[in-house]
């Protein structure tokens, strides 16, 4: 029960730190691109998928939510199965005739003590891996939002080009970068 009381305090402290850091960063950042990248990254860290929305990559949002939702569901399901295995193990080994194990295998036979221990260890491992996959999915979506925000103003005009060719039977990559005198001048 104490863990549930600590969680809102941690969330409140995180929001306070983020808002305090945001105020300091807004005063220091004069470049609009840097401010946009910071804002996008901050929002992506707080609300999963919001960085992709800010970057107008809306097709990525269901992928982010689906991946994180599946990891959260898998964490919950593995924790429930682990708890039921531990409860049955306690019921099997507590020398109390009133408590009876509930879990059975595919043939309807109750699990042995060894099977229940192995089952609990299996679901604990799955729970831990699911937590790691949730954190990995969250980190990757923050990284994706940050990278997309930084590359948003990347010049993709014809001034920079690449082409594959073969010279004397050897494959080559030719890179071309055309310079012009004014930024609005048409390219030849």
């Amino acid at each position: 029960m104490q863990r549930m009381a600590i969680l809102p305090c941690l969330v409140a402290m995180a929001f306070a730190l983020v808002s305090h850091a945001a105020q300091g960063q807004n005063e220091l950042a004069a470049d609009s691109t840097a401010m946009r990248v910071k804002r996008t990254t901050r929002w992506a860290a707080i609300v999963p998928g919001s960085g992709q929305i800010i970057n107008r990559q809306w097709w990525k949002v269901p992928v982010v939510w689906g991946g994180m939702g599946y990891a959260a569901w898998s964490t919950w399901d593995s924790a429930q199965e682990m708890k039921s295995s531990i409860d049955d193990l306690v019921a099997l080994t507590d020398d109390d005739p009133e408590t009876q194990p509930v879990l059975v295998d595919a043939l309807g036979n109750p699990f042995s003590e060894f099977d229940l221990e192995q089952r609990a260890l299996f679901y604990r491992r799955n729970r831990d891996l699911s937590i790691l996959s949730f954190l990995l999915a969250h980190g990757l979506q923050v990284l994706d939002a940050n990278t997309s925000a930084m590359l948003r103003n990347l010049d993709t005009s014809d001034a920079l080009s690449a082409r594959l060719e073969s010279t004397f039977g050897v494959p080559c990559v030719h890179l071309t970068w055309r310079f012009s005198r004014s930024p609005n001048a048409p390219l030849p």
Side-chain angles (χ1 to χ4, degrees), residues 25-177:
Q25 289 173 354
N26 286 340
E27 295 169 1
L28 296 175
D31 184 24
S32 65
T33 303
M35 287 176 58
R36 187 184 71 246
V37 170
K38 288 178 186 179
R39 184 192 69 189
T40 302
T41 306
R42 189 179 320 120
W43 271 103
I46 294 170
V47 180
S50 63
Q52 285 74 18
I53 293 172
I54 292 170
N55 290 330
R56 293 189 176 100
Q57 295 176 330
W58 305 348
W59 64 272
K60 292 181 180 180
V61 176
V63 174
V64 168
W65 289 346
M68 292 182 71
Y70 177 76
W73 171 81
S74 179
T75 301
W76 175 82
D77 186 56
S78 295
Q80 293 296 319
E81 290 294 327
M82 182 185 74
K83 183 180 180 320
S84 65
S85 297
I86 291 171
D87 290 344
D88 270 18
L89 184 62
V90 168
L92 188 64
T93 60
D94 69 352
D95 295 332
D96 185 7
E98 297 293 323
T99 58
Q100 294 295 321
V102 178
L103 295 175
V104 293
D105 62 7
L107 300 174
N109 301 323
F111 285 112
S112 67
E113 183 178 341
F114 176 77
D115 290 338
L116 287 171
E117 287 175 359
Q118 291 300 312
R119 192 172 189 273
L121 290 174
F122 173 78
Y123 283 112
R124 183 181 76 182
R125 179 179 170 272
N126 283 355
R127 181 206 58 194
D128 295 346
L129 289 174
S130 296
I131 291 170
L132 287 176
S133 67
F134 181 86
L135 294 174
L136 180 67
H138 186 271
L140 285 175
Q141 69 91 20
V142 171
L143 179 66
D144 175 66
N146 179 282
T147 305
S148 295
M150 287 191 328
L151 295 177
R152 192 160 178 191
N153 288 338
L154 182 68
D155 181 20
T156 57
S157 66
D158 291 335
L160 182 63
S161 64
R163 68 180 191 275
L164 297 173
E165 286 186 358
S166 177
T167 306
F168 303 112
V170 178
C172 299
V173 176
H174 293 273
L175 298 175
T176 307
W177 187 4

